[in-house]
């Protein structure tokens, strides 16, 4: 009989410090998380979005969605020279499931990662390692290539081998999300000119909540706080009324009541720089308002890479997110959470 | 006792009838003795001792060993494996390792396969061609590694020079002699538009033994 009380493990890393501390790791953490899907913000005691926050939320950079990009185009010489070598190009394959299909990701430091299933890897013929999350039989392989390395310069043997493999032996073609490059749209031209593409702005949605009971942040443990936070984001009521059997989630004690709260959410392919700016603005806002706020950043569930190039997988859930609880006195609590097929967050 | 008559003169009347002349008794006696001596056997009892001394008596015997001659084999005796290694019969010297030299061999192989399948028309069923290829000799075919558990073998292509039990020896277009193990790889052989994929793991027999082997049909094989 299967033991239903045991479920795949989750990891939660918590940190409590202050922004004024020199060694605070917030900016390092934010930078390391390359592929962010959603940022959600909860501001209690706030009826409508303040103007400067609103401006920041709307100024997240846009991104391109390229339909059916042949992956060997990522090795195009012009693209490498103009975009990849300068850094700060983020790319991720779209609507490919990490546990079923082949996924590709391009990080700003020039590392191209292909997460392939067994047949594709055997067809491609390029060196790779078996995934760390294989259970008994090797069914997933990860090919990591540093495009800025000298042996991968155009014309070298390894470069030609990978190019030939992606062109003739394993012609991969997926939808691709590509971030805006600071050098302008022209640097991404080699990719954009050949395929069907469209530019998208991150979606912003703001809603206000009424009659919300929320816990006192300093005095509740991280697990129950995160559970309450998730319930609020998902719109699940924490009343635990006797005539409702859908949810028995309650707000952790001690709690206070508020009339109104603001929940804002931005989704799309978000860059760490924009998130840094948002955090800066939030700190200024909290100084004025004398309250606290929670910022949650979710990573893509299907990206091959998580924090700092660590491998990411999907077992029952592909969560990799971090939650930053900021107070008006510049102290913060940072919670980093991952699911089963993930390495421990830094 | 009265002596029985042994001899008696013939009566006168019988002499005339028989036409014989009677002889005198002394001459008749001599004749009779001579006649008896010649017609009766004489037992030589005196020679018993001689008999025993000069005759060899056989006590027991052994047959002399026959020289068993080995059956001379009619076919020519081959070299043993050690002798082959010493003579280096199957090594191809570097001056012979040129791709261009083996292209005529490839043409010969093509002709051979065409004859084997009875003329490769586009209307032939692929099953039929595959069956023939499985039992055919592949020396001289251009084979390509399509999939392999080891990524560095993928993409190698060349003319097959030697087929051993576990490896293929091919020469690539860059004049390099490559040794490819059969296990855990999928090879593709192409003839006149028919491409056949062969799973190397199931192909690990000597070429001579493979012609007699029956291949089972599997759905799909995972490397």
């Amino acid at each position: 009989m299967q033991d239903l009380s045991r479920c795949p493990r989750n990891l939660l890393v918590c940190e409590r410090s202050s922004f004024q501390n020199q060694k605070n790791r917030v900016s390092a953490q934010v930078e390391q998380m390359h592929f962010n899907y959603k940022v959600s913000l909860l501001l209690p005691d706030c009826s409508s979005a303040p103007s400067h926050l609103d401006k920041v939320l709307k100024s997240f950079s846009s991104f391109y969605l390229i339909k059916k990009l042949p992956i060997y185009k990522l090795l195009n010489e012009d693209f490498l020279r103009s975009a990849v070598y300068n850094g700060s190009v983020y790319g991720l394959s779209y609507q490919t499931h990490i546990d079923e299909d082949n996924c590709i990701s391009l990080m700003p430091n020039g590392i191209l990662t292909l997460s392939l299933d067994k047949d594709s890897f055997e067809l491609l013929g390029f060196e790779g390692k078996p995934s760390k999350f294989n259970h008994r039989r090797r069914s997933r392989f990860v090919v990591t290539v540093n495009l800025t390395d000298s042996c991968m310069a155009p014309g070298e043997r390894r470069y030609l081998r990978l190019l030939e493999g992606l062109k003739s032996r394993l012609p991969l073609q997926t939808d691709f999300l590509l971030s805006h490059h600071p050098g302008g749209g022209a640097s991404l031209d080699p990719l954009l000119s050949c395929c069907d593409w469209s530019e998208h702005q991150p979606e912003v949605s703001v809603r206000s909540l009424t009659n919300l009971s929320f816990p006192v942040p300093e005095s509740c443990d991280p697990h129950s706080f995160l559970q309450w936070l998730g319930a609020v984001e998902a719109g699940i009521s924490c009343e635990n009324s006797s005539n409702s059997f859908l949810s028995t989630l309650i707000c952790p004690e001690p709690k206070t009541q508020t009339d109104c709260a603001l929940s804002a959410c931005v989704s799309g392919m978000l860059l760490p720089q924009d998130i840094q700016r948002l955090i800066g603005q939030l700190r200024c806002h909290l100084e004025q308002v004398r309250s606290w706020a929670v910022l949650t950043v979710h990573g893509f569930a299907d990206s091959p890479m998580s924090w700092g190039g660590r491998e990411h997988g999907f077992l029952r859930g592909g969560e990799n997110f971090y939650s930053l609880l900021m107070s008006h006195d510049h102290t913060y609590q940072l919670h980093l959470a991952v699911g089963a097929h993930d390495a421990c967050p830094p | 006792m009265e002596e029985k008559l042994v001899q008696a003169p013939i009566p006168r009347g019988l002499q005339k009838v028989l036409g014989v002349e009677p002889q005198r008794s002394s001459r008749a006696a001599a004749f009779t003795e001579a006649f008896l001596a010649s017609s009766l056997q004489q037992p030589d009892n005196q020679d018993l001792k001689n008999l025993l001394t000069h005759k060899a008596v056989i006590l027991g015997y052994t047959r002399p060993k026959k020289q068993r001659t080995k059956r001379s084999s009619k076919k020519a005796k081959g070299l043993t494996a050690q002798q082959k290694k010493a003579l280096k019969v199957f090594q191809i010297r570097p001056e012979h390792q040129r791709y261009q030299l083996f292209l005529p061999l490839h043409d010969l192989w093509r002709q051979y396969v065409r004859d084997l399948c009875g003329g490769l028309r586009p209307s032939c069923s692929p099953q039929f061609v595959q069956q023939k290829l499985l039992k055919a000799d592949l020396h001289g075919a251009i084979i390509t590694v399509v999939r392999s558990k080891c990524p560095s073998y993928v993409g190698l292509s060349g003319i097959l020079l030697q087929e051993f039990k576990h490896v293929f020896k091919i020469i690539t277009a860059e004049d390099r002699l490559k040794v490819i193990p059969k296990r855990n790889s999928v090879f593709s052989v192409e003839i006149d538009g028919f491409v056949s994929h062969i799973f190397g793991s199931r192909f690990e027999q000597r070429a001579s033994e493979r012609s007699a082997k029956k291949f089972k049909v599997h759905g799909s094989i995972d490397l």
Side-chain angles (χ1 to χ4, degrees), chain A residues 67-78:
Chain A
K67 293 270 183 201
K68 287 204 179 2
L69 174 75
I71 297 300
Y72 73 88
K73 298 267 180 192
L74 288 175
L75 294 175
N76 183 305
E77 282 181 40
D78 300 319

Side-chain angles (χ1 to χ4, degrees), chain B residues 47-57:
Chain B
D47 258 331
L48 270 176
K49 262 197 182 166
N50 287 340
L51 271 174
L52 287 173
T53 49
H54 290 293
K55 202 159 189 180
V57 178

